[in-house]
Amino acid sequence: MTPPPITAMLAELACSAGEAPAPAVESARRSLLDTLAVAVAGMTDPVMATLTAWVRTEAAPGPAAVWGSEEAFGIGHAALLNGTAAHALDWDDAVPSMPMHPAAVIFPALLAQAATEPVTGSELAAAFHIGSTATRAVFEVLGVGIHYGRGWHSTSTVGRIANVMALARLLKLDEKTTRNALAIAASLAAGSLSNFGTMTKPLHCGLAAKDALMAVGLARSGFTGRETQLEDRRGFFAMYGDQDPARLDTMGKRWAYWSGEWWNDLALKRYPSCFATHKPLDGVLALRDEIGPLDRITDIEVETRAGYGSPLISHLPTTGLEGKFSMPYTVASALTDGRVSLEHFTDERVNDPEILPLMKKVRETTGGGEDDPQYAEVRITRIDGSVVSRRVLVTYGDATNPLADHDLKAKFLDATAYAGWAENDAEHLFTTADAAMTSADLAPLLAALARKGNA
């Protein structure tokens, strides 16, 4: 059986797409606010000082702002910095059904491109809609267990393909140019799960945004790639997923499904840690008032379905970055302080000798079957043998249990305050970004991100 023409199919879908439906626009609005907030806060992370210093040695000033600063570079290097910052704190969006962070890749590329040519809010929303649909459809056809199971960081690999789709819609590219851009991006796709808990993980997002812009820019200039690359026997799907022609033949169906459903499979994070910790943290915080003195706890069991905790580290953390990927640390921290926030993920806090005994009481177990929903059940045993437990199926922030608008704004203001923004500047950016999807011109948003005209 000959594989279906995936590259041509995706190019046609991106180039023929119309306006985004109303639910997609609303979800894009909320995702933009969330992404800008976590990126501005992420600019304070140590990864950004090192990366920015390197960019200054490599890149000349250009039209695209580094968000929250007065620096601006060419679109590729700006997207590299903004995309890395968006993922630096692991506080960016998530996809409950699959390990993905679409907005941290898509918005940095789209807004960098918007610095070079006029873009309306409706065009931004339509492009984000295409990228969000592509993220889910492509990853699902690759095979989540296959691709992620091999150790590929899907936000980085699939993110490049999805971002080319989004940029094709934003720039109204023709299908041939888009096919070439997809082919170029496919040769740039990379990102290893082994680097989780290090500075390289957020770099994956920045590189995915930068590489998509490069692929599109080269293709617009006539640079070529194999126009059947994705489905080729040595192409993207063969390398990164399942090359079964019957599986590839489902792409059209999955695209049609996700184009009307992706906004129901999205989560904006309440906690600045790996999404795999969020259901357990919801359970822990809900139980905290029932537990009594922490020194009376003898055992803390966190049960999840097999595979749920695959992004997490298996050893006790020694750095703040590792703490974000540690079930024992995040659970112990939540029990100790009754909350989980940015200040909990420092090297000093992770190595606090007072929290170590509680961390060592956390056990991770698995249960349920393949047909059971993803869940987390926390069981806390006290010295008298009594047990309190809480089972969580949907975390707060999931599209089916969304962050309230006031909580989203509170997250935005907390993040910008963490980055040292004055309250009036933060309010100005929030108001401008909140209106961006219905704006006739994104120039006010870009100016606010460059800290210009905030008065």
Side-chain angles (χ1 to χ4, degrees):
M1 181 178 176
T2 302
I6 299 292
T7 315
M9 180 191 302
L10 292 180
E12 180 183 6
L13 289 166
C15 296
S16 63
E19 298 298 309
V25 176
E26 171 60 13
S27 190
R29 178 188 71 84
R30 289 170 57 85
S31 291
L32 176 64
L33 289 167
D34 189 74
T35 303
L36 297 182
V38 300
V40 166
M43 289 292 176
T44 66
D45 191 85
V47 68
M48 296 309 300
T50 304
L51 183 60
T52 303
W54 177 82
V55 167
R56 289 180 186 132
T57 69
E58 296 291 315
V66 178
W67 297 344
S69 81
E70 296 181 356
E71 290 191 274
F73 297 102
I75 60 174
H77 283 96
L80 171 67
L81 291 168
N82 294 329
T84 302
H87 200 47
L89 301 176
D90 236 283
W91 207 11
D92 47 318
D93 70 333
V95 177
S97 72
M98 55 187 74
M100 291 290 296
H101 302 272
V105 175
I106 297 172
F107 278 126
L110 294 181
L111 293 180
Q113 187 68 61
T116 68
E117 44 205 298
V119 172
T120 67
S122 64
E123 289 169 342
L124 180 66
F128 187 74
H129 172 54
I130 292 298
S132 297
T133 301
T135 292
R136 293 158 176 82
V138 170
F139 193 19
E140 189 174 23
V141 174
L142 273 173
V144 176
I146 297 169
H147 187 69
Y148 208 73
R150 290 177 183 168
W152 293 112
H153 185 194
S154 42
T155 297
S156 182
T157 52
V158 178
R160 286 169 169 84
I161 304 300
N163 230 354
V164 167
M165 300 282 287
L167 288 162
R169 173 60 182 85
L170 186 78
L171 297 169
K172 301 180 178 64
L173 300 185
D174 61 71
E175 292 181 27
K176 182 175 180 62
T177 301
T178 303
R179 290 194 298 271
N180 280 305
L182 286 168
I184 297 166
S187 277
L188 301 172
S192 168
L193 296 184
S194 177
N195 277 315
F196 278 27
T198 76
M199 290 181 175
T200 301
K201 182 181 188 268
L203 180 67
H204 290 170
C205 277
L207 288 171
K210 176 181 180 291
D211 286 351
L213 285 163
M214 181 172 73
V216 167
L218 289 172
R220 292 177 86 186
S221 299
F223 210 89
T224 64
R226 185 169 298 281
E227 293 186 36
T228 58
Q229 205 287 338
L230 300 184
E231 68 273 19
D232 190 81
R233 67 184 180 88
R234 293 176 295 186
F236 182 81
F237 280 92
M239 295 168 62
Y240 295 107
D242 189 341
Q243 182 65 358
D244 179 1
R247 186 182 187 90
L248 296 185
D249 201 39
T250 66
M251 176 62 80
K253 294 179 182 177
R254 302 322 298 161
W255 183 275
Y257 173 80
W258 286 117
S259 68
E261 290 288 337
W262 69 260
W263 49 85
N264 293 321
D265 190 32
L266 179 70
L268 303 183
K269 287 185 173 183
R270 183 182 185 184
Y271 315 113
S273 58
C274 178
F275 194 59
T277 67
H278 284 219
K279 287 177 184 176
L281 289 175
D282 279 353
V284 165
L285 291 173
L287 288 172
R288 191 169 181 270
D289 291 340
E290 302 177 31
I291 295 168
L294 299 184
D295 61 1
R296 308 295 285 176
I297 293 174
T298 60
D299 183 71
I300 305 165
E301 180 184 4
V302 180
E303 180 186 298
T304 61
R305 205 182 79 181
Y308 178 85
S310 60
L312 302 177
I313 62 174
S314 57
H315 58 276
L316 291 180
T318 59
T319 68
L321 270 173
E322 287 188 333
K324 290 174 176 287
F325 296 88
S326 169
M327 190 74 79
Y329 174 71
T330 53
V331 166
S333 191
L335 282 171
T336 302
D337 288 352
R339 58 191 176 86
V340 180
S341 54
L342 290 170
E343 60 264 28
H344 289 103
F345 297 102
T346 64
D347 293 354
E348 293 76 16
R349 170 68 178 177
V350 166
N351 289 289
D352 186 341
E354 293 187 6
I355 203 169
L356 182 61
L358 200 56
M359 289 170 60
K360 290 183 175 180
K361 294 177 182 180
V362 178
R363 294 186 298 118
E364 298 173 66
T365 62
T366 58
E370 290 185 2
D371 294 332
D372 291 329
Q374 292 283 11
Y375 71 94
E377 185 160 342
V378 179
R379 304 184 190 97
I380 298 178
T381 304
R382 293 170 288 202
I383 199 167
D384 61 1
S386 61
V387 178
V388 292
S389 65
R390 183 62 57 93
R391 186 180 181 93
V392 179
L393 296 176
V394 179
T395 192
Y396 183 49
D398 187 288
T400 60
N401 184 25
L403 288 181
D405 282 346
H406 63 85
D407 282 335
L408 177 56
K409 184 171 184 179
K411 176 180 176 178
F412 188 99
L413 295 178
D414 285 347
T416 49
Y418 182 83
W421 280 48
E423 185 176 352
N424 65 317
D425 285 353
E427 287 281 358
H428 174 74
L429 177 59
F430 182 90
T431 301
T432 307
D434 195 36
M437 296 300 165
T438 57
S439 174
D441 185 356
L442 292 184
L445 173 61
L446 300 180
L449 286 168
R451 308 293 288 272
K452 297 175 182 176
N454 292 20

